[in-house]
Amino acid sequence: DTAVSQTPKYLVTQMGNDKSIKCEQNLGHDTMYWYKQDSKKFLKIMFSYNNKELIINETVPNRFSPKSPDKAHLNLHINSLELGDSAVYFCASSQTSGRTNEQFFGPGTRLTVL
Amino acid sequence: AQTVTQSQPEMSVQEAETVTLSCTYDTSENNYYLFWYKQPPSRQMILVIRQEAYKQQNATENRFSVNFQKAAKSFSLKISDSQLGDTAMYFCAFMKQGNTGKLIFGQGTTLQVKP
C-alpha cells in the first residue's frame, strides 16, 4: 500500500509552460509538505499545509502555487516554468499531534525544464 | 535561524565495518527533534533514526545509533556492521518543536559501502 504517492514521477517540459504535480497520502495525516531537492541534492522546504490551511510559505516565487483540496491531497502548480525550476520535488506528510513527528515522503517527481 | 551542517560530503567503508557520519546544528531552541534520513539511488527518503532533544539517552535502531551531544550541538550517526544496502546519501535534519513540522536539512553525506 502506497502511503504517500506523487504523480507524475518524471516530468519533462519546455520553458514557459505551466505544469502541476499531484500528491496524495492515505495515512490520515493532518499536515502535508512540499520540498525541493536541487541539483546538488540540497533539500529545502517550500510549503506546508495543516488541515488545508497554509502554515509555511518559504521564499518561493509566486509562480509556485500549492493547493490543498482536502487533507489527503496537496498539489503543486508551477506557472511559466524556468530552467532553474529543474529539480526533484518531494511531497511529505505527518501527523503533527503524533508522538513521533515523523514525516513520510513520497517517491519524488523529477522535473526537467528544457 | 536554525542551520544544519554535515562536513563530510563523501565517505566510504568496507562491508561489515563501522562508520560514523557527522552532523552539527545551530539553534537557540531548547526543545526540538533531530533526524537522520537515508536516500538510496532510488531517491526515496527513508527515516533511519530520530532523537528528541529532551532525552539524554541516545537513540538506537538495530545497527544504527546516534551520539547526541546537546551542549555541543552535535548529532552523529554510527552504522555498525555496514551492509551493501547502506550505500546511500544520508541527511541530518532538525525540527523545532511545535506544529509547523518544518524540517531543516544538512547538505548530505554520500556513503559508499565497499564489498
Side-chain angles (χ1 to χ4, degrees), chain A residues 11-19 63 78-86 111-114:
Chain A
L11 185 53
V12 181
T13 188
Q14 297 288 329
M15 243 180 7
N17 283 349
D18 303 339
K19 290 293 178 186
R63 297 182 296 103
I78 316 170
N79 288 328
S80 304
L81 277 155
E82 300 177 357
L83 294 177
D85 298 333
S86 294
L111 171 65
T112 303
V113 183
L114 302 175

Side-chain angles (χ1 to χ4, degrees), chain A residues 9-10 33 35 37 41-43 48 55-56 58 90 96 99-103 105-108 110, chain B residues 33 35 37 39 42-45 47 50 52 55 89 91 95 98-103 105-107:
Chain A
K9 287 202 172 64
Y10 298 91
Y33 312 82
Y35 289 87
Q37 186 172 41
K41 302 286 186 154
F42 186 64
L43 273 155
S48 171
I55 56 171
I56 294 176
E58 294 290 294
F90 285 97
T96 52
R99 187 184 66 85
T100 67
N101 287 91
E102 178 180 351
Q103 290 186 20
F105 282 77
R110 179 177 293 281
Chain B
Y33 304 91
F35 305 85
Y37 278 87
Q39 187 178 39
S42 66
R43 83 168 180 241
Q44 179 69 51
M45 293 289 289
L47 179 66
R50 66 189 292 275
E52 293 95 332
K55 288 188 178 178
M89 194 152 189
F91 291 95
M95 181 195 296
N99 67 352
T100 68
K102 176 180 172 180
L103 273 172
F105 286 92
Q107 308 93 319

Side-chain angles (χ1 to χ4, degrees), chain B residues 53-65:
Chain B
Y54 67 86
K55 288 188 178 178
Q56 291 187 339
Q57 188 173 6
N58 289 324
T60 61
E61 286 287 341
N62 301 314
R63 298 182 295 107
F64 299 88
S65 61

